[in-house]
Every structure is written in C-alpha cells, then in structure tokens.
Amino acid sequence: MDTFKASENDDGSYIDLEVLQHYLATGREVEFYYHKTKYYIANSSEGYILLEVFPGSDTESKDISDSFNDTNEFLLNVKIANTSLKEIFSKHTKNIEIVFIY
C-alpha cells in the first residue's frame, strides 16, 4: 500500500492527476478523503467504480457511479458534487486529505 498526502501544504508525497492515472492504469485501487468524506475507487471485472464509504465504517459503502473500463472516461464522467474526478485531482487537491493506493 502506498500513502500520499494530497494537499500542497502537507509534508510527504504528493498525488496529482498524472499519478492517479498511472495507478489506475496499472489496476490499482484508490481510497481517498474529499471534503472529509471517504471514497473508494474499486477495480472490478466490470471496470472502475466509485464508492462512498459510510461514516464510521471501513466496509459498508454505496456505489455512486457507473462502471467504466477506460480510466480517462472514468475520471471525466464520474463526479462528486458536480465536480469530475479529473478536476478534483487536478484543481482541487487542497480538498483531498489523504490517499491510499492498494
């Protein structure tokens, strides 16, 4: 597991869109906190899907996206509060608290 701090103000490794795209393209899964809500990008046989993890749980979640086989299509089309994942990881990294890569 790799761990990243996403904010420019944090010490440690930095994740941006390019790093995220690399990990997704290699089949990895990603857990991150955005505006204090935990999300998980799962890689299943049907493609990538975004899950919102229920507060206080590490296992209970709900699907909040369709599945996509293409990582670029996934990042462009999947949104959190009307903001695409592509935009979040390129322009709103200060709102991402920490990222775990599995």
Side-chain angles (χ1 to χ4, degrees), residues 9-81:
N9 297 323
D10 289 335
D11 294 332
S13 299
Y14 177 77
I15 190 166
D16 61 10
L17 181 61
E18 184 178 334
V19 173
L20 177 66
Q21 287 173 317
H22 166 75
Y23 279 115
L24 293 179
T26 59
R28 305 285 290 272
E29 296 186 327
V30 179
E31 177 184 306
F32 64 97
Y33 291 82
Y34 181 68
H35 286 295
K36 303 199 184 293
T37 301
K38 185 177 181 179
Y39 296 95
Y40 190 80
I41 299 173
N43 181 7
S44 72
S45 60
E46 298 166 3
Y48 285 100
I49 191 165
L50 182 66
L51 307 170
E52 181 178 339
V53 180
F54 295 136
S57 174
D58 286 330
T59 57
E60 294 184 50
S61 62
K62 64 178 177 180
D63 297 357
I64 58 172
S65 78
D66 293 329
S67 61
F68 293 87
N69 287 317
D70 181 80
T71 56
N72 289 324
E73 187 178 347
F74 175 77
L75 294 170
L76 282 171
N77 290 302
V78 174
K79 297 181 179 188
I80 298 173

